[in-house]
């Protein structure tokens, strides 16, 4: 948290610091254990720098609106904040941004739209995904049983119509890879090998 020098408005310092630590922690562990692909550590800056930049822009703008002392600034503040908090979509986006839940990382063209987003905490046969993530490993959620033959990945079967048939979740709860249809064993191996050696 101390590494972030910006106004405390919006309570983004701690959330950003925790997000940074989660993102970097599992990547450093994979590098130390020798299971990280070569570019994994480089992805920390690519993923987290835009988040920090957005926090700076937002908190600076919010400070200008909230701390304005002139009569015009107060009127604009009341109108802007009043309007934003009455629109359900804007309220949801503000809630997701302030909590950090709405943060998404860039993904490659052709990737499933869920890639780079936080995995919903779904139930998989009585166990929540976020409980499975406590082991500090990747979690693979598939709609049907499949043999992956890897002890470094937690595999669970769970069919959820709103989600792809196969989702590989990083230890920091973000989706690394997803496929709308149930992939072959070879496709699963390729997806896992892209993240872990």
């Amino acid at each position: 948290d101390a590494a972030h020098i910006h106004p405390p408005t919006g309570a983004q310092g701690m959330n950003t610091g925790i997000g940074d630590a989660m993102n970097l922690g599992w990547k450093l562990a994979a590098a130390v254990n020798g299971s990280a692909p070569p570019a994994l550590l480089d992805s920390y800056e690519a993923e987290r720098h835009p988040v920090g930049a957005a926090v700076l822009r937002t908190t600076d703008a919010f400070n200008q609106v909230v701390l304005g002392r002139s009569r015009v600034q107060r009127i604009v503040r009341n109108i802007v904040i009043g309007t934003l908090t009455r629109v359900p979509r804007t309220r949801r986006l503000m809630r997701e941004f302030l909590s950090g839940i709405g943060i998404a990382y860039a993904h490659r063209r052709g990737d499933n739209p869920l890639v780079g987003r936080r995995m919903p905490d779904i139930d998989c046969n009585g166990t929540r995904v976020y409980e499975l993530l406590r082991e500090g490993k990747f979690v693979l959620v598939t709609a049907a049983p499949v043999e992956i033959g890897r002890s470094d990945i937690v595999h669970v079967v769970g069919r959820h119509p709103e989600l792809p048939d196969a989702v590989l979740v990083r230890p920091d709860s973000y989706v690394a890879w997803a496929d709308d249809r149930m992939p072959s064993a070879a496709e699963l191996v390729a997806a896992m090998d892209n993240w872990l050696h």
Side-chain angles (χ1 to χ4, degrees):
D1 189 19
H4 302 101
I5 303 170
H6 58 80
T9 315
Q12 289 297 290
M14 185 179 72
N15 290 345
T16 305
I18 291 170
D20 288 346
M22 290 293 295
N23 188 290
L24 186 57
W26 74 268
K27 293 174 181 178
L28 281 173
V32 168
N33 292 334
S35 62
L40 185 63
L41 282 179
D42 293 336
S43 70
Y44 168 76
E45 183 176 355
E47 290 179 346
R48 296 303 298 173
H49 186 271
V51 173
V55 166
L56 286 175
R57 283 191 308 271
T58 304
T59 55
D60 285 347
F62 194 65
N63 255 4
Q64 295 299 319
V65 170
V66 170
L67 298 179
R69 296 184 187 276
S70 74
R71 185 172 187 270
V72 172
Q73 286 175 317
R74 286 194 313 270
I75 291 170
V76 169
R77 176 184 60 221
N78 293 342
I79 291 171
V80 168
I81 292 175
T83 302
L84 291 177
T85 56
R86 280 193 295 273
V87 177
R89 178 176 159 76
T90 308
R91 260 199 329 262
R92 181 180 54 81
L93 291 173
M94 287 172 55
R95 191 172 51 245
E96 288 177 355
F97 178 77
L98 290 175
S99 67
I101 290 174
I103 293 171
Y105 301 136
H107 59 273
R108 297 182 308 244
R109 177 175 281 147
D111 280 346
N112 186 287
L114 192 59
V115 172
R117 300 195 171 281
R118 282 178 61 104
M119 177 68 175
D121 189 19
I122 58 172
D123 179 77
C124 295
N125 301 322
T127 306
R128 313 267 335 150
V129 167
Y130 284 21
E131 288 295 319
L132 298 170
L133 286 168
R134 288 181 185 223
E135 292 186 39
K137 298 178 180 181
F138 276 74
V139 173
L140 176 65
V141 181
T142 57
V146 63
E147 180 57 45
I148 63 169
R150 295 190 66 150
S151 61
D152 59 340
I153 295 176
V154 177
H155 178 225
V156 64
V157 177
R159 178 168 286 285
H160 296 273
E162 73 280 10
L163 294 174
D165 280 354
V167 181
L168 182 62
V169 186
R170 302 174 355 175
D172 62 353
S173 78
Y174 281 83
V175 175
W177 170 86
D179 198 329
D180 285 327
R181 61 172 179 73
M182 192 61 201
S184 67
E187 289 171 318
L188 278 174
V189 167
M192 292 183 289
D193 285 348
N194 191 41
W195 287 92
L196 293 164
H197 292 297

